[in-house]
Amino acid sequence: MLGARLGGIITTGELNDSFGHGSELEIHFTEGLGSWYGVEFSLSMHNLGRSLDREKDIDYTGLDRSVKAGVYSVTAGMTTFTKISRRISFGAEAGIGLYTVTATIPSGIWEGRITRNEFGFNGGVDIYYALNDRGLSIDVGAKYHYLLSGRDPLQVLYAYTGEEGCGFTQVTLGIILFTN
């Protein structure tokens, strides 16, 4: 199966206070290994947007600049799926990934970037609705991501939350092509 998902990010706690909610774009590929399970690979852009906390911006950059945060991820995991009815299927997934966390700091016509690579975990569920018998389906899903950000003061998520790990939930609507 090959698909694309578009949606939003729901944040909580300090991450929500610092950045609010964001947007999501994901391209994914699933290879079925059996009739009910397979492996999934995803490439995602999780956009947290501009900081909402001016004081933390000044602490992080030393300047009164609004910091923009984004996370790019490459994940792999196991997935399972089952047909509920002729047109509706359910799926669940769990995996690990590499998350590239980027802080973008504007300075006049230039921008500075601070990037850190982090390890993380994810798990989610999807409901697929078949639009036709050729394998084209709509996908509605939610996936939770947890990043192990460590204690690096230049890692933007740690700098703004003060936590060595943080999570967010992506909620998406997508289009899927089942290629079996």
Side-chain angles (χ1 to χ4, degrees):
M1 132 173 110
L2 178 65
R5 297 173 175 144
L6 183 63
I9 294 175
I10 299 170
T11 57
T12 58
E14 285 293 317
L15 191 58
N16 186 51
D17 293 345
S18 296
F19 291 98
H21 304 301
S23 59
E24 171 76 27
L25 175 63
E26 179 176 272
I27 297 169
H28 61 100
F29 170 76
T30 302
E31 176 64 34
L33 300 175
S35 62
W36 59 273
Y37 66 99
V39 292
E40 177 159 307
F41 302 95
S42 300
L43 199 60
S44 304
M45 178 186 73
H46 320 278
N47 179 23
L48 294 171
R50 296 208 177 276
S51 165
L52 304 173
D53 191 330
R54 184 173 175 245
E55 288 180 23
K56 286 185 181 175
D57 289 338
I58 293 169
D59 287 344
Y60 186 64
T61 65
L63 305 167
D64 189 6
R65 306 266 192 254
S66 181
V67 174
K68 183 178 173 186
V71 180
Y72 300 91
S73 65
V74 176
T75 61
M78 294 301 294
T79 186
T80 182
F81 30 87
T82 186
K83 259 190 173 326
I84 295 172
S85 72
R86 184 174 152 290
R87 292 213 179 260
I88 299 174
S89 298
F90 174 80
E93 63 185 272
I96 59 173
L98 179 63
Y99 294 80
T100 300
V101 182
T102 302
T104 304
I105 306 157
S107 181
I109 61 171
W110 306 103
E111 288 182 337
R113 292 189 196 279
I114 299 172
T115 302
R116 296 290 187 263
N117 292 318
E118 309 297 345
F119 180 71
F121 306 92
N122 64 73
V125 294
D126 294 284
I127 297 203
Y128 307 103
Y129 179 79
L131 297 174
N132 61 28
D133 293 331
R134 295 184 191 170
L136 190 62
S137 296
I138 298 257
D139 166 22
V140 176
K143 188 187 304 185
Y144 182 76
H145 297 267
Y146 188 81
L147 286 70
L148 303 169
S149 58
R151 300 180 94 180
D152 180 356
L154 292 179
Q155 205 278 22
V156 69
L157 299 181
Y158 175 73
Y160 279 77
T161 65
E163 298 171 3
E164 293 182 33
C166 65
F168 57 86
T169 303
Q170 76 181 55
V171 179
T172 56
L173 176 65
I175 191 91
I176 305 291
L177 179 61
F178 287 87
T179 58
N180 53 355

